[in-house]
Amino acid sequence: AYIVDEIKELSLSHDGKLETASSGVNHPPGSGPRHMLVHPGGKYAYIVDELTSTICMHKYDGEVGKISKHLQRISTLPPGFENSTKQSTIAAIKAHPSGRHIYVSNRVVNADGLISVFQVDENTGNLEAKSYHSTLGITPRDFEFIGAKMLIAANQDSDSLVAFHVDDNTGGLRETGQRAHCSSPVCIVQI
């Protein structure tokens, strides 16, 4: 297996060619960085490691397009999960429109997936785990905010879209009772 645990920095030359920068940022071996999210405030970048179910916080300089080495690395799974027989990988990361919370979907093998909610410290960018919520379906490949008060989860292996209310203060999720059948949903895009 070929796994790259490095985030490469690329630039676009004047003639339209991608060029690899001389520097990059490494994540721990075997972690499998999957997605990067730049915080709406523009000072921090969060990268999820698919294979280790972790999220890393980096400082971000948007003017030059550079990220620092990770300054925080925490699990996206509930306490005690690592001691169970369950396995999980990460699929998606999104910021709440307010920027106060970061959400990560965890694909738990042979069980309902989870969405983990993290509060963002506005002074440091550090994350604090606040809550974990079942997606009421298997393999939550993606999710999307509909405004600031609703989140839709796409559960690929249970063929479902599930709606949740988003709590303004805690960022927590509460089931609305609204579900829709959708064959193997993998992405949600508002149009």
Side-chain angles (χ1 to χ4, degrees), residues 96 98 100-103 115-120 128-133 145 148 165-174:
H96 185 270
S98 71
R100 292 189 326 229
H101 296 94
I102 302 291
Y103 295 71
I115 292 182
S116 304
V117 181
F118 299 89
Q119 184 172 342
V120 178
E128 179 185 353
K130 295 309 267 183
S131 57
Y132 307 90
H133 305 272
F145 290 97
H165 288 291
V166 179
D167 184 281
D168 288 338
N169 295 320
T170 67
L173 304 177
R174 182 173 42 84

Side-chain angles (χ1 to χ4, degrees), residues 64-81:
V64 294
K66 298 257 184 213
I67 60 173
S68 69
K69 68 177 184 137
H70 70 269
L71 302 174
Q72 179 190 34
R73 182 173 190 249
I74 59 175
S75 176
T76 63
L77 300 171
F81 188 95

